[in-house]
Amino acid sequence: MTALRMLAEPTRLRLLWLLRDGEHDVGSLAAAVGAARPAVSQHLGKLLLAGLVSVRRDGRRALYRARGGHVRRLVAEALYAADHQVTGAPEHD
């Protein structure tokens, strides 16, 4: 599945985690993840093509957000599962 391949890259996963709560522009995302603006733009382009983010224009600014509840829950579950692996927390249903 394309969505899971996109989440396998740490920067894209961090970007989606930030986008789950609302809109952000490239500059604020670059600052938050500690990456260069061109690299963040490329990651966002891939996420957009995969259908994981949406974008809207506000004047000259492009504002990105996670695309829907399924994407937000997918990102959250991926991170919670990884946290359980790292911390050894017990599995649950």
Side-chain angles (χ1 to χ4, degrees):
M1 172 183 255
T2 301
L4 295 177
R5 280 196 303 273
M6 290 292 115
L7 294 177
E9 205 288 324
T11 300
R12 287 194 290 266
L13 183 57
R14 290 194 338 245
L15 289 170
L16 276 171
W17 182 254
L18 293 168
L19 293 171
R20 81 195 186 289
D21 288 331
E23 295 177 324
H24 296 279
D25 64 12
V26 174
S28 65
L29 290 168
V33 300
R37 287 175 62 106
V40 169
S41 290
Q42 287 182 354
H43 285 302
L44 290 168
K46 290 179 182 181
L47 292 169
L48 188 62
L49 286 174
L52 297 174
V53 299
S54 59
V55 63
R56 77 171 179 90
R57 291 276 181 204
D58 182 24
R60 295 180 63 205
R61 265 183 357 153
L63 297 169
Y64 294 86
R65 71 177 304 132
R67 190 170 178 200
H70 289 291
V71 171
R72 289 189 297 274
R73 286 188 296 279
L74 178 64
V75 170
E77 286 299 323
L79 288 172
Y80 296 149
D83 182 62
H84 280 200
Q85 284 292 128
V86 170
T87 64
E91 299 270 337
H92 55 85
D93 291 329

